[in-house]
Amino acid sequence: MSRLSEAFSLKGLELKNRIVMPPMCQYSVTAKDGIPNEWHYIHYVSRAVGGTGLIIIEMTNVEPDGRITDQCLGLWSDEHVPPFARIIRECQKHGAKVAIQIAHAGRKAQDANPPVAPSALAFDSSYKLPRALDTEEVRTMVHQFREAVRRAVAAGVDTVELHGAHGYLIHEFHSPSLNKREDEYGDDPALFGVEVIRAVKEVMPPGMPLIMRISAVEYMDGGYGLEYMIRIAARYKEAGVDIFHVSTGGEGPVGKERQPSYSPGYQVGMARGIKEALQVPVIAVGVLEEPSLAEQVLESGATDLVAVGRGMLRDPYWASHALLSLSGENGKEAHVPRPYKRAY
Ligand SMILES: Cc1cc2nc3c(=O)[nH]c(=O)nc-3n(C[C@H](O)[C@H](O)[C@H](O)COP(=O)(O)O)c2cc1C
């Protein structure tokens, strides 16, 4: 039996295998008013049919101006709940568990006028200059995260992922280069994330684990390294995060000091670093679509779960195909939907 095909459980979450579809924005198919449409339905349900253990629905934002573009998803009103619920229910029928990635794009909200951020610092000269949130607005933002997660739970998710990576709002707060505030949210750069975690935990059922996506290192010159992120993640764990989904970068233009290699498994070492330092389950991601590599990474103990993004865009049945290739089975076993078995 392959490691990828092993079940995983944490608190009330039980996954049938260790394969995760990471969040991937579908904005070119234009979600109107942040509401998922038939594309999103087919897109996610296909990956459930394709054998994925955990599907994390793409970046879904807490307010209209928190979207990267006006075509992105949101959960800022109760009217958004039924279309998400329909997708989630159908994915679950095929044995997948489902999360939604809850986010605010901060200074990377391209259609906001102006975008907001911890401090008035632009991503680069091609981006708009953001407006710094005042202290009261930061507290309102915490409440908006709570409300969006309450709606995700109402839509039937099995778990929730907070987007604390890629230079979006939560990451902007804990990044020393992007947070130059003089209030309590500047004195303690982890405070915003900690308050968001505590607030969303209040509206999640006690047995539901909380995932947080983080950028383990920054790539802009002067950006933070892994040791710094471990200290911040320790605070997030203490506040209630159960699983870290370990990505990197996205906070600004890549500098000269540290650069991503984009080679197979290039972020795995950082997932292991977070896992070992904090004794917490992690999801590794980043060029892991070669099944034998995904298997080896699990085998090495570096990670608990493996996420495959672009590989799943190319092949909605990536999970079934990977499990088949690793087990040497001919499709008569469990990994292929019954009506398709004659094709294998
Ligand atoms: C089309 C596309 C959209 C993405 N959107 C998101 C997103 O909404 N949230 C996020 O955290 N990462 C996003 N990512 C990053 C992926 O989740 C993943 O970390 C990245 O593609 C690396 O994994 P891979 O090498 O398996 O593709 C996106 C990636 C792609 C290709």
Side-chain angles (χ1 to χ4, degrees):
M1 191 173 137
S2 64
R3 297 298 304 269
L4 266 183
S5 68
E6 274 176 16
F8 171 84
S9 75
L10 186 72
K11 297 188 167 173
L13 178 71
E14 292 185 8
L15 306 181
K16 64 180 177 182
N17 60 43
R18 307 229 162 195
I19 301 170
V20 178
M21 177 185 187
M24 286 181 287
C25 289
Q26 301 291 300
Y27 39 83
S28 50
V29 294
T30 307
K32 195 169 174 306
D33 300 325
I35 295 173
N37 58 36
E38 290 306 287
W39 172 269
H40 299 91
Y41 178 83
I42 293 165
H43 171 66
Y44 290 112
V45 176
S46 320
R47 275 71 194 177
V49 173
T52 311
L54 173 64
I55 293 172
I56 306 176
I57 293 179
E58 69 205 72
M59 181 164 174
T60 296
N61 302 285
V62 304
E63 62 165 12
D65 275 350
R67 291 174 290 179
I68 301 176
T69 73
D70 286 351
Q71 287 78 50
C72 296
L73 297 184
L75 258 177
W76 57 80
S77 94
D78 290 345
E79 283 159 34
H80 289 74
V81 172
F84 278 97
R86 178 171 169 258
I87 296 173
I88 293 166
R89 263 197 314 272
E90 196 59 30
C91 289
Q92 289 165 338
K93 277 190 208 160
H94 298 283
K97 298 294 163 72
V98 185
I100 302 178
Q101 186 186 50
I102 302 295
H104 189 295
R107 70 177 187 166
K108 289 171 80 177
Q110 296 167 17
D111 292 336
N113 283 310
V116 295
S119 303
L121 298 165
F123 183 92
D124 66 17
S125 58
S126 70
Y127 276 75
K128 291 174 193 159
L129 182 67
R131 180 177 69 75
L133 292 161
D134 69 32
T135 306
E136 208 40 51
E137 287 174 316
V138 177
R139 295 193 184 117
T140 303
M141 200 63 85
V142 171
H143 182 71
Q144 286 176 317
F145 270 90
R146 181 184 194 271
E147 285 299 284
V149 169
R150 178 181 64 70
R151 295 185 188 107
V153 171
V157 292
D158 300 285
T159 170
V160 169
E161 177 170 291
L162 288 175
H163 202 341
H166 300 169
Y168 298 113
L169 192 65
I170 294 176
H171 179 171
E172 288 166 15
F173 269 91
H174 67 229
S175 170
S177 310
L178 306 183
N179 180 350
K180 303 290 182 194
R181 299 178 69 85
E182 289 179 352
D183 62 1
E184 65 258 42
Y185 295 100
D187 296 341
D188 175 3
L191 182 62
F192 177 66
V194 164
E195 288 187 353
V196 167
I197 293 160
R198 289 199 188 124
V200 306
K201 278 284 198 170
E202 280 171 20
V203 292
M204 291 169 66
M208 184 183 284
L210 176 65
I211 306 170
M212 188 181 220
R213 200 167 222 213
I214 52 171
S215 287
V217 298
E218 293 185 330
Y219 294 123
M220 63 187 178
D221 287 336
Y224 64 69
L226 182 61
E227 289 307 314
Y228 175 82
M229 194 58 225
I230 287 172
R231 289 200 298 278
I232 297 288
R235 299 277 309 282
Y236 291 162
K237 181 188 172 201
E238 194 191 344
V241 171
D242 299 287
I243 301 175
F244 286 100
H245 190 171
V246 183
S247 188
T248 58
E251 73 292 339
V254 175
K256 293 196 173 66
E257 293 164 11
R258 191 187 288 119
Q259 289 173 342
S261 74
Y262 301 120
S263 57
Y266 72 104
Q267 295 175 145
V268 169
M270 287 172 267
R272 181 194 282 279
I274 299 281
K275 181 175 170 58
E276 289 182 350
L278 301 180
Q279 295 297 303
V280 67
V282 295
I283 307 173
V285 65
V287 201
L288 288 169
E289 68 256 28
E290 176 52 45
S292 59
L293 176 61
E295 183 70 7
Q296 192 190 315
V297 164
L298 282 170
E299 190 72 52
S300 74
T303 190
D304 301 270
L305 298 164
V306 169
V308 173
R310 287 162 295 174
M312 276 200 204
L313 294 185
R314 282 192 293 274
D315 178 6
Y317 302 140
W318 186 90
S320 297
H321 292 158
L323 296 178
L324 280 173
S325 77
L326 290 169
S327 66
E329 287 164 4
N330 60 12
K332 291 198 184 88
E333 303 302 327
H335 306 311
V336 177
R338 271 179 73 185
Y340 293 175
K341 285 200 190 276
R342 281 177 64 188
Y344 287 84

